[in-house]
Amino acid sequence: MQGTLSVWLAKRGLVHRSLGFDYQGIETLQIKPEDWDSIAVILYVYGYNYLRSQCAYDVAPGGLLASVYHLTRIEYGVNQAEEVCIKVFTHRSNPRIPSVFWVWKSTDFQERESYDMLGITYDSHPRLKRILMPESWIGWPLRKDYIAPNFYEIQDAY
C-alpha cells in the first residue's frame, strides 16, 4: 500500500521506494543519495516545512549506513499535521549524502552528529566537523564494526 506522498511523487516521475508505514501510520520512503537534494527541495515546496529530526544508524556490520529524516507539514488551521520519514542509504566505503542544510537549517547539528558518530559525509554542509568527539579521534564510534581503542583507566587515583 502506498501513501499519498508516494503516489504524488510517482505521478511526477520522482524516483523513490515506499518502505511502508510505521506503528503510528507515518509513511517511510527510501530516496537514493544522488536524488536526495532535489527531492528535499520538492518536499519543502510541497509543504514539508519542518524538519522534526535527522539521525543516522548502521544497518548491519559491513553493510549500509542510513540517514533518516522526519519531516512535517505545518499549516495554519490544520489539527493533524502530515508527516513522512525519509531514509537515504549509502555504502560505508564512501558514505556521502547531499546535505539538506540549505533547505532545513535545523539539520545543522544533526548532520554534524551523524558525521561524527558514523562518518557519513554530508556534501555542501557549511561546517561539517566533529561535534561530540575530539578532532583527533580516529574512527566512527557508532558503527557496528568499530573497534574501540585500548583505554586504561587510572586505578587508585587518590
Side-chain angles (χ1 to χ4, degrees), residues 18-37:
S18 179
L19 299 176
F21 298 84
D22 69 6
Y23 71 98
Q24 293 178 315
I26 297 171
E27 186 175 18
T28 302
L29 302 176
Q30 178 182 346
I31 306 293
K32 292 180 181 178
E34 58 270 18
D35 298 331
W36 176 223
D37 53 352

Side-chain angles (χ1 to χ4, degrees), residues 11-82:
K11 281 183 181 178
R12 282 143 187 88
L14 299 168
V15 180
H16 69 286
R17 185 174 138 214
S18 179
L19 299 176
F21 298 84
D22 69 6
Y23 71 98
Q24 293 178 315
I26 297 171
E27 186 175 18
T28 302
L29 302 176
Q30 178 182 346
I31 306 293
K32 292 180 181 178
E34 58 270 18
D35 298 331
W36 176 223
D37 53 352
S38 59
I39 289 183
V41 171
I42 291 166
L43 291 175
Y44 185 85
V45 171
Y46 182 71
Y48 287 95
N49 51 5
Y50 179 64
L51 176 82
R52 193 163 40 110
S53 70
Q54 184 277 331
C55 63
Y57 66 94
D58 190 347
V59 177
L64 298 172
L65 300 173
S67 187
V68 183
Y69 301 83
H70 294 273
L71 306 173
T72 305
R73 278 179 88 166
I74 297 179
E75 298 177 90
Y76 180 76
V78 175
N79 292 333
Q80 183 64 33
E82 188 178 328

